[in-house]
Amino acid sequence: MSSSRVFSGQMYGAQRSGAGTIRRIRLENFMCHNSLEIELGEWVNFITGQNGSGKSAILTALCIAFGCRARETQRASKLKEFIKTGCSYATVQVDIKNEGVDSFKPEIFGDTIIIERRISDTTSSTVLKDRQGRKVASRKEDLRELVEHFNIDVENPCVIMSQDKSREFLHSGNDRDKFKFFFKATLLQQVDELLQSIIKQLKDACALVDELEKLIRPAQLELSELQEKIENIKRVEQISQEVQLLRKKLAWSLVYDEDKRLQEQSKNIETLKKRIPTCQAKIDSTLDKLEKLLERLSKKKVQVASLVEKTSEVKRKKDELWDALCSARKEKLELEEEHRRGTKQIRKMRNDVRRLEEQARDIQDKHIRNTQAEESEIEEQIKELEYAVDNVQSLLSSLKDEENTLSEQISAEMDAMKKINDEINYYERKQREVHHQICELRLHQTNKVTAFGGDGVLRLLREIERHHKAFSMPPIGPIGAHVTLVNGDTWVPAVERAIGKMLNAFIVTNSEDACALRKCAREARYNFFPIVIQRFSRPRLIIPNHSLPQTSHPTTLSVLHSDNPTIYNVLVDVCKAERQVLVKDYNMGRAVAFDQRIPNMLEVFTLDGFKMFSRGSVQTVLPINKNLKIGRLRGSFGDQVKEFESHVSNIQQDIDQCKSRKRELEKKVQDFNRKLDNKKKRRLDVEREFMAKRMKLQDMQKSHAVDASLLPESTTNELLQEISDGKMVINKKEALLETLKDRINEAEEKARTLKLSFEDLGESTKGEVEAFQKAEEELTEIEKEIHNAEANKLHYENIMNNKVLPQIKEAEAKYLELEKDRKESYKKASVICPESDIEALGDRDETTTEQLDAKLKRLNQRLMHESQQYSESIDDLRMLHQEKERRILRKLHTYKAFRERLDVSSTCCSICSRI
């Protein structure tokens, strides 16, 4: 079977100028078409083909291109169903002629408008292009404007008649159905619906005008009440006039009081100025005394200088005699020391000669007695020495082993001490941290703001106050200082874990305020805190119940309270606090986070610091953050301070226990060191004994190996020659000692003579030295008197500069201030009324300022009592009466005009409905 489709080049409603005519249709992956392009003529176009060849697909593509929905084409329920099987997208492109007087935005699109609609599995988009294919628009409103301009209604069966609509029209034998089809195709149905809507709107408008006319009646009643108020308030004006008169009198009374105070202050200044000559006289007398003392000081200095010249020569001679005396004593001591050394040397040489003589005799006797038995005795001694050396060596080895054992024990104890020291350092560091936390908590008790940034946030707040003009709205922060917990401190750990660093955040209303806040932070040296931009004018958010987690457990937002709506909005927008669920322990947290699948829940936080959440099939549990500060949101820090102090006490007990163990270990180490030192000394003694015995053994073995043929006579002769030489040296040394003795006597005599000369010189210069000392004492006394005189002078000058003159200056400044106040009072009083008005009253001196003020207060109270019912002035009431009257008249005229227009519109609608 084959069939055909008829296309009109001009769509229904397009003008004869050609604008709106379809020139070309391109299809790609649309329904059954891979790629199709059709050129259309300006009038009637015929498309023929077999059934299922895609003729109706072209009509459907036109509907889709002009914005029709999938269901309205009656070919699919979703746009993605138009994509050809096996493809991922579909494209429909329609070229429309845009020439002539009825063209659509020719300055933008040119003479051709291209409509391209692209459909994918998930989205669809419509793009309007110009002749060159450049994108011009992509909004639905732009396509709707184009369709309305060319009057292209693809849903109208007269414009596009699909197979189903044709079958419905042709096979329907009912005249009523055909009329409905005609009624809809000719847009009469749309006009009828529009007319019915207008009639309904007219009825609503008439009812609204009736309601507005009823609303005027209360305003008319208010107008009559205003007139009654105006009549009643006139009596209050009389009291007001009396108050104004008293205010004038009071203002000028203040001026007259200022005049009196100025006169009293002028007398006070004169009295103070009289104190200046007295102080100046004391200063002058002190200066005269100081000049005399300075003159005496100069004379005494001359006298002391002359005495210094006289005593300097004596002093030089004494120094020379003293140096000579010291040299003589030193020479005598050196000679005596040399004599002692010589005597000791001679004594030693005599002992050596005596020992040599005894040795010679012993050699001769020994050679005679022990010639035969000497060898056997020496061998026996060698065996004994070898046995003794072996014993000492065994003892030395055991001592070394004991010493190594002690060293290892000391090393083990030192390692234990090192561990205890590390433990003590850990406890002390922990104690310092707790002390620091206690100090912070006590600081938080005095100022809660410091809990959210310390001293840095205080500096920042001062900078914000100093630069308040730089902000359009004052920043809010830190957030932690503006929120409190609803149900005590139970949920503090979980809430602070949930909100985190946002407790330190500041809120500004725009980006310019954020820059200004950053500048203040740099000047305050306080950085790294969050800044949130949130409009302050935004009202408090209202969260519906269906958007909250459906659970009995509290959320972060439910346990927090803040009077500021901006902070509440930040907790919702930034922190997502309404979706953070709080639970008591780990097991309950896992059940809530992973097992119950609660809707609208973002995260779960436990009291012991765990954070749990699931994203799809992934379950995450984050451990406790040890660096996070907990407890800043507590209402009172006293309990926490006591808890920390108890903790410090426990740490101190641990430290004391560690130190006690350390002392015990130190005592053990000292004992071990003492034992080790003893062992070392014992070992050294044994080593020395071992070396001595071994050397002795070696010497004996060597002496035994000496040739036995040596004669003792040669050894005896050598000893006798050595004895003779020693005696000759002793004789020479004794002669030298006699010479040294004579020199010692001469040095002693010289020292005695110099000592007598030094003592004689001291006696002869004693008077001059005493005179010099006396002159120095007098000079010191004069300098002391000069110092006292200068102190007195400074005292009176301080009195003059720090008391008298400042008091005068202060009194003069007060006088100027009073004068300035008098001018201001005069100026204010002149503004209230001229002075002549007060003088004309003639009762200037009758009442005081206090009396006038008391009388004014009484009248004000009476005026307030009388005017309690009428807070407005009579002029305001008259203006309000006139304004209300004008407003009521204007509304009456407006409602009358509305009524006339509604009557005309109702008449027109009734005529149209009959037609």
Side-chain angles (χ1 to χ4, degrees):
M1 291 294 290
S2 65
S3 61
S4 65
R5 291 288 182 267
V6 182
F7 280 87
S8 175
Q10 289 185 340
M11 298 297 292
Y12 181 83
Q15 292 80 0
R16 290 183 177 273
S17 62
T21 303
I22 299 174
R23 287 180 171 177
R24 185 182 293 106
I25 302 172
R26 298 186 190 88
L27 304 179
E28 185 177 355
N29 300 329
F30 188 84
M31 293 180 72
C32 61
H33 296 290
N34 286 332
S35 178
L36 175 67
E37 182 174 345
I38 300 175
E39 295 281 348
L40 299 179
E42 292 187 354
W43 299 102
V44 179
N45 296 269
F46 291 89
I47 298 174
T48 62
Q50 295 293 330
N51 288 338
S53 60
K55 302 184 294 299
S56 301
I58 299 173
L59 278 176
T60 305
L62 280 174
C63 295
I64 294 299
F66 286 112
C68 185
R69 290 178 295 184
R71 291 184 181 277
E72 295 173 354
T73 62
Q74 297 179 354
R75 305 299 296 268
S77 60
K78 296 181 181 178
L79 289 175
K80 66 179 182 180
E81 296 177 6
F82 291 117
I83 301 174
K84 186 177 179 180
T85 305
C87 299
S88 61
Y89 72 95
T91 304
V92 177
Q93 193 176 85
V94 178
D95 295 359
I96 300 175
K97 184 178 179 181
N98 192 37
E99 298 176 354
V101 293
D102 295 324
S103 59
F104 178 70
K105 298 181 181 179
E107 68 280 359
I108 298 175
F109 292 96
D111 58 357
T112 301
I113 299 174
I114 300 173
I115 303 174
E116 180 181 308
R117 186 158 189 182
R118 186 178 180 88
I119 304 169
S120 66
D121 290 336
T122 56
T123 60
S124 69
S125 61
T126 303
V127 179
L128 303 182
K129 301 181 179 179
D130 59 7
R131 182 176 184 179
Q132 285 76 24
R134 291 175 299 194
K135 179 180 176 181
V136 175
S138 60
R139 300 184 306 164
K140 291 183 179 179
E141 289 77 6
D142 298 321
L143 178 63
R144 188 181 298 111
E145 186 180 2
L146 172 68
V147 170
E148 290 178 355
H149 178 80
F150 290 126
N151 196 16
I152 300 173
D153 187 4
V154 293
E155 296 179 3
N156 193 333
C158 290
V159 176
I160 293 179
M161 182 175 287
S162 64
Q163 288 180 341
D164 297 332
K165 290 182 180 179
S166 300
R167 189 181 301 108
E168 178 185 352
F169 178 74
L170 294 174
H171 290 81
S172 176
N174 191 348
D175 294 338
R176 181 181 295 277
D177 294 337
K178 291 181 179 180
F179 177 77
K180 286 181 180 180
F181 185 86
F182 164 78
F183 196 61
K184 181 179 180 181
T186 56
L187 302 181
L188 289 174
Q189 181 178 354
Q190 183 178 354
V191 172
D192 184 61
E193 291 174 355
L194 181 63
L195 188 62
Q196 295 299 325
S197 174
I198 292 171
I199 292 172
K200 183 177 182 302
Q201 290 177 1
L202 284 172
K203 291 181 180 178
D204 294 341
C206 291
L208 179 61
V209 171
D210 294 337
E211 187 68 25
L212 290 174
E213 288 177 348
K214 291 179 182 178
L215 292 176
I216 297 177
R217 294 171 186 172
Q220 290 174 340
L221 293 176
E222 289 181 3
L223 191 65
S224 60
E225 291 176 357
L226 277 176
Q227 183 64 37
E228 184 178 355
K229 275 187 181 181
I230 292 170
E231 295 296 331
N232 293 333
I233 206 171
K234 286 182 180 178
R235 62 175 181 175
V236 181
E237 289 184 343
Q238 297 178 356
I239 301 174
S240 178
Q241 291 176 359
E242 293 182 11
V243 168
Q244 293 297 328
L245 179 61
L246 279 177
R247 285 178 180 171
K248 293 178 182 179
K249 290 183 178 181
L250 181 60
W252 282 102
S253 176
L254 292 173
V255 175
Y256 301 147
D257 289 343
E258 294 288 345
D259 290 336
K260 293 178 182 178
R261 281 196 287 271
L262 281 171
Q263 293 176 0
E264 293 174 357
Q265 191 63 23
S266 177
K267 293 178 182 179
N268 187 24
I269 291 171
E270 293 297 329
T271 305
L272 291 172
K273 285 183 177 180
K274 291 178 181 179
R275 296 175 60 186
I276 294 176
T278 305
C279 289
Q280 190 62 44
K282 292 182 179 179
I283 293 171
D284 293 340
S285 64
T286 307
L287 285 173
D288 293 339
K289 183 179 180 181
L290 189 60
E291 289 177 359
K292 293 177 182 178
L293 288 172
L294 290 173
E295 185 177 355
R296 283 178 59 195
L297 179 65
S298 62
K299 291 179 180 179
K300 186 58 66 177
K301 282 184 178 180
V302 171
Q303 181 183 358
V304 170
S306 63
L307 289 172
V308 168
E309 291 177 359
K310 291 178 181 179
T311 55
S312 59
E313 183 67 22
V314 176
K315 188 176 181 181
R316 184 182 60 78
K317 290 179 180 180
K318 288 178 69 176
D319 292 340
E320 290 177 355
L321 286 172
W322 179 256
D323 292 339
L325 177 61
C326 291
S327 299
R329 289 177 175 174
K330 185 178 180 182
E331 184 181 0
K332 177 190 172 186
L333 293 172
E334 290 175 353
L335 290 172
E336 289 176 348
E337 181 65 26
E338 189 176 354
H339 184 272
R340 247 187 331 270
R341 284 198 302 270
T343 305
K344 187 176 180 181
Q345 192 175 7
I346 290 170
R347 191 181 301 114
K348 184 179 180 183
M349 291 175 71
R350 285 176 178 171
N351 291 332
D352 291 339
V353 169
R354 192 180 300 112
R355 189 174 62 254
L356 288 171
E357 289 175 350
E358 291 176 356
Q359 189 175 0
R361 288 194 299 270
D362 291 339
I363 290 172
Q364 290 175 358
D365 295 340
K366 186 177 181 181
H367 183 71
I368 294 169
R369 288 193 307 268
N370 303 319
T371 303
Q372 295 178 353
E374 187 176 18
E375 281 189 27
S376 61
E377 186 178 353
I378 289 174
E379 290 176 357
E380 186 68 25
Q381 290 178 357
I382 288 172
K383 289 181 180 180
E384 290 178 357
L385 283 173
E386 287 177 350
Y387 180 74
V389 167
D390 292 337
N391 291 334
V392 172
Q393 189 173 7
S394 176
L395 178 60
L396 181 62
S397 176
S398 64
L399 287 173
K400 285 183 178 180
D401 293 338
E402 291 178 2
E403 188 176 343
N404 291 332
T405 303
L406 286 172
S407 299
E408 291 175 357
Q409 289 179 347
I410 290 172
S411 177
E413 297 297 335
M414 291 298 293
D415 291 340
M417 283 179 61
K418 185 178 178 181
K419 291 181 180 178
I420 291 175
N421 281 329
D422 294 340
E423 192 174 352
I424 290 172
N425 292 332
Y426 168 74
Y427 283 132
E428 289 179 345
R429 184 170 63 253
K430 193 173 181 181
Q431 189 179 38
R432 287 194 295 271
E433 292 175 356
V434 176
H435 274 303
H436 179 68
Q437 290 177 343
I438 290 173
C439 293
E440 285 187 349
L441 289 173
R442 286 174 177 166
L443 182 62
H444 301 344
Q445 281 181 320
T446 57
N447 192 346
K448 186 180 178 182
V449 177
T450 57
F452 309 98
D455 294 335
V457 73
L458 293 179
R459 294 195 301 271
L460 177 58
L461 291 174
R462 286 194 290 269
E463 290 296 328
I464 292 173
E465 181 66 24
R466 193 160 63 89
H467 298 90
H468 65 278
K469 294 183 179 179
F471 298 95
S472 59
M473 295 288 288
I476 301 172
I479 290 178
H482 295 272
V483 297
T484 56
L485 290 172
V486 177
N487 298 322
D489 300 336
T490 305
W491 297 104
V492 166
V495 171
E496 294 188 6
R497 177 82 167 97
I499 298 177
K501 294 183 179 179
M502 288 304 296
L503 290 175
N504 297 349
F506 278 73
I507 309 172
V508 294
T509 190
N510 52 43
S511 57
E512 289 81 4
D513 286 1
C515 294
L517 183 59
R518 284 293 181 201
K519 184 178 179 182
C520 292
R522 287 193 296 272
E523 294 180 2
R525 303 184 306 282
Y526 176 65
N527 299 308
F528 309 112
F529 64 94
I531 296 178
V532 180
I533 300 176
Q534 181 81 242
R535 288 188 298 106
F536 291 176
S537 59
R538 185 181 177 190
R540 187 186 183 97
L541 293 174
I542 299 174
I543 304 173
N545 290 330
H546 63 81
S547 298
L548 296 174
Q550 305 301 313
T551 177
S552 60
H553 296 284
T555 62
T556 303
L557 189 66
S558 66
V559 300
L560 286 176
H561 171 72
S562 177
D563 296 330
N564 194 316
T566 303
I567 292 178
Y568 182 88
N569 295 342
V570 168
L571 291 175
V572 174
D573 292 341
V574 180
C575 303
K576 308 297 182 185
E578 81 283 5
R579 299 174 62 192
Q580 296 172 343
V581 178
L582 309 180
V583 298
K584 291 185 178 181
D585 52 28
Y586 179 84
N587 295 329
M588 187 178 294
R590 288 189 62 87
V592 173
F594 306 137
D595 300 339
Q596 298 180 10
R597 298 291 181 180
I598 298 173
N600 301 322
M601 183 181 69
L602 182 64
E603 296 163 338
V604 174
F605 294 90
T606 65
L607 280 179
D608 46 2
F610 286 94
K611 176 180 178 181
M612 306 175 186
F613 59 88
S614 60
R615 299 292 184 266
S617 61
V618 180
Q619 297 178 354
T620 304
V621 177
L622 297 180
I624 302 168
N625 184 3
K626 296 182 180 179
N627 296 324
L628 183 66
K629 292 184 177 180
I630 300 299
R632 296 182 292 168
L633 286 176
R634 292 183 181 273
S636 174
F637 298 99
D639 296 338
Q640 200 171 2
V641 169
K642 292 180 181 178
E643 181 180 347
F644 279 128
E645 287 176 348
S646 175
H647 190 35
V648 168
S649 177
N650 294 333
I651 293 173
Q652 186 62 44
Q653 291 178 2
D654 294 336
I655 292 173
D656 293 339
Q657 291 176 2
C658 291
K659 287 183 177 180
S660 176
R661 286 189 294 157
K662 182 182 176 183
R663 284 192 295 271
E664 292 175 358
L665 289 176
E666 286 176 348
K667 189 176 180 181
K668 283 185 179 181
V669 170
Q670 289 176 359
D671 293 340
F672 284 138
N673 282 324
R674 187 165 55 254
K675 291 179 181 179
L676 183 62
D677 291 340
N678 294 332
K679 293 293 181 183
K680 284 183 178 180
K681 290 178 182 178
R682 179 80 183 280
R683 179 178 57 81
L684 292 174
D685 293 339
V686 173
E687 283 181 348
R688 283 194 293 269
E689 184 181 357
F690 173 74
M691 294 299 294
K693 289 183 180 296
R694 192 171 63 175
M695 291 295 293
K696 187 177 180 180
L697 177 62
Q698 292 174 355
D699 291 342
M700 188 173 289
Q701 289 174 349
K702 288 179 181 178
S703 65
H704 183 63
V706 174
D707 190 358
S709 63
L710 290 175
L711 295 175
E713 284 82 3
S714 59
T715 305
T716 305
N717 292 333
E718 289 177 2
L719 291 173
L720 291 175
Q721 183 63 36
E722 190 176 351
I723 290 168
S724 177
D725 293 339
K727 288 181 177 180
M728 289 176 64
V729 173
I730 288 171
N731 293 331
K732 289 179 181 180
K733 292 284 185 181
E734 287 178 347
L736 184 59
L737 285 178
E738 291 294 332
T739 305
L740 284 174
K741 192 172 183 181
D742 295 336
R743 288 176 64 189
I744 289 171
N745 294 331
E746 290 175 1
E748 187 176 0
E749 185 63 29
K750 183 180 178 182
R752 190 182 299 110
T753 304
L754 289 171
K755 183 178 180 182
L756 292 173
S757 300
F758 182 78
E759 291 175 354
D760 293 339
L761 182 62
E763 289 294 332
S764 63
T765 59
K766 185 176 181 181
E768 294 177 357
V769 172
E770 290 178 353
F772 175 72
Q773 292 177 350
K774 184 178 180 181
E776 279 189 336
E777 292 175 357
E778 291 177 354
L779 182 63
T780 304
E781 188 66 28
I782 292 171
E783 289 176 348
K784 186 176 180 181
E785 291 180 1
I786 290 172
H787 178 73
N788 293 334
E790 288 178 346
N792 290 333
K793 172 178 168 292
L794 183 63
H795 171 69
Y796 290 123
E797 286 178 349
N798 288 335
I799 291 174
M800 176 70 81
N801 296 326
N802 299 331
K803 289 186 177 181
V804 178
L805 293 179
Q807 287 178 357
I808 294 172
K809 188 176 180 181
E810 183 181 356
E812 289 177 346
K814 188 174 181 181
Y815 181 84
L816 294 174
E817 185 179 354
L818 288 172
E819 197 172 27
K820 181 180 178 182
D821 293 343
R822 197 266 179 193
K823 289 180 181 178
E824 291 179 359
S825 300
Y826 184 85
K827 185 177 180 181
K828 292 177 182 178
S830 300
V831 170
I832 294 174
C833 72
E835 188 177 6
S836 58
D837 293 350
I838 301 300
E839 292 176 350
L841 296 175
D843 56 349
R844 171 177 168 181
D845 297 330
E846 289 182 0
T847 54
T848 63
T849 304
E850 291 77 9
Q851 293 173 343
L852 289 173
D853 186 49
K855 189 175 181 180
L856 180 62
K857 287 180 179 178
R858 288 194 301 271
L859 278 177
N860 279 327
Q861 290 177 357
R862 182 181 174 190
L863 179 63
M864 187 182 300
H865 178 72
E866 293 290 336
S867 59
Q868 279 181 351
Q869 300 177 2
Y870 315 105
S871 58
E872 306 89 347
S873 64
I874 191 170
D875 295 332
D876 294 338
L877 290 174
R878 285 171 177 167
M879 291 175 63
L880 183 62
H881 181 273
Q882 293 174 1
E883 184 180 355
K884 282 184 176 292
E885 190 175 18
R886 285 195 303 269
R887 194 181 303 162
I888 290 171
L889 291 174
R890 186 167 60 249
K891 285 183 178 180
L892 288 173
H893 290 307
T894 302
Y895 297 160
K896 184 178 180 182
F898 284 168
R899 181 72 70 182
E900 291 175 354
R901 291 178 185 175
L902 289 173
D903 292 340
V904 172
S905 299
S906 299
T907 303
C908 293
C909 287
S910 61
I911 294 172
C912 291
S913 62
R914 286 196 297 272
I915 293 174

